[in-house]
Amino acid sequence: LGLIAGAPAQVLGELEARRLCSEELVAIVRHDDPLARPRSIPLRKLARRGFVMVLQGTFTNGLIVEACRKAGCVPKVLRRLESGEAIREVVRAGLGITILPAGYLGMRDPSLRAVRLTQPTPKRDVHVAWDQRSEPSAATRAFVEELKRAVQG
């Protein structure tokens, strides 16, 4: 049993998967960055900024790069890091901006701001998945239902 975020359909086709939610990706910037003022911004307006990005080869990186392509820009990647926590710390230090799911900002953090992206607004689906060759146990089915309720609540 696992959680998969942002996976394309061909990956999920090999698994039994249930969609839990869709997460909107946002620009995360320092509170004193000029981009922190508006509530939303067209993605192409980030083209000249330096990005701290997730690792290449991840589903989330693919979604971000594709959204930038649709906006007519290519992200200027300054560094890539494995964890959302590390990325936030680099952004907090003023060493770049990032695009991550809104939930990565965490509880109210006065030093960072999430800015909604438009034209396009990138999103990723989150699925719970398991091997389709095996029948899930009653406990697994109950856990999946609890996950769905928790995400909806």
Side-chain angles (χ1 to χ4, degrees):
L1 184 69
L3 295 174
I4 303 176
Q10 63 267 28
V11 171
L12 294 174
E14 300 173 11
L15 301 167
E16 187 70 32
R18 300 287 183 272
R19 184 179 168 278
L20 292 175
C21 65
S22 182
E23 298 178 308
E24 193 170 295
L25 278 65
V26 297
I28 297 178
V29 301
R30 278 174 50 109
H31 70 95
D32 57 355
D33 189 296
L35 292 176
R37 290 187 200 114
R39 292 179 96 46
S40 66
I41 190 167
L43 183 53
R44 71 181 176 281
K45 297 264 183 166
L46 304 180
R48 293 190 177 111
R49 299 296 301 270
F51 283 84
V52 183
M53 297 269 289
V54 296
L55 299 179
Q56 283 184 308
T58 63
F59 297 136
T60 299
N61 181 73
L63 291 170
I64 294 167
V65 170
E66 177 61 15
C68 288
R69 186 195 63 74
K70 287 180 181 176
C73 61
V74 175
K76 178 180 158 187
V77 180
L78 301 175
R79 59 189 49 85
R80 291 185 180 275
L81 298 168
E82 190 169 352
S83 77
E85 293 81 12
I87 291 171
R88 283 195 318 260
E89 290 304 316
V90 172
V91 171
R92 189 175 284 113
L95 302 174
I97 64 171
T98 194
I99 297 175
L100 287 173
Y104 273 61
L105 193 53
M107 300 305 273
R108 300 230 177 230
D109 184 337
S111 64
L112 298 174
R113 297 281 185 276
V115 181
R116 187 169 190 268
L117 296 169
T118 62
Q119 302 171 13
T121 300
K123 296 180 181 180
R124 71 177 189 177
D125 287 337
V126 178
H127 292 85
V128 61
W130 58 91
D131 188 332
Q132 65 184 353
R133 296 172 296 189
S134 62
E135 183 64 30
S137 68
T140 298
R141 288 193 302 275
F143 181 68
V144 168
E145 290 307 312
E146 186 59 33
L147 276 175
K148 288 165 127 177
R149 279 192 295 279
V151 168
Q152 292 168 356

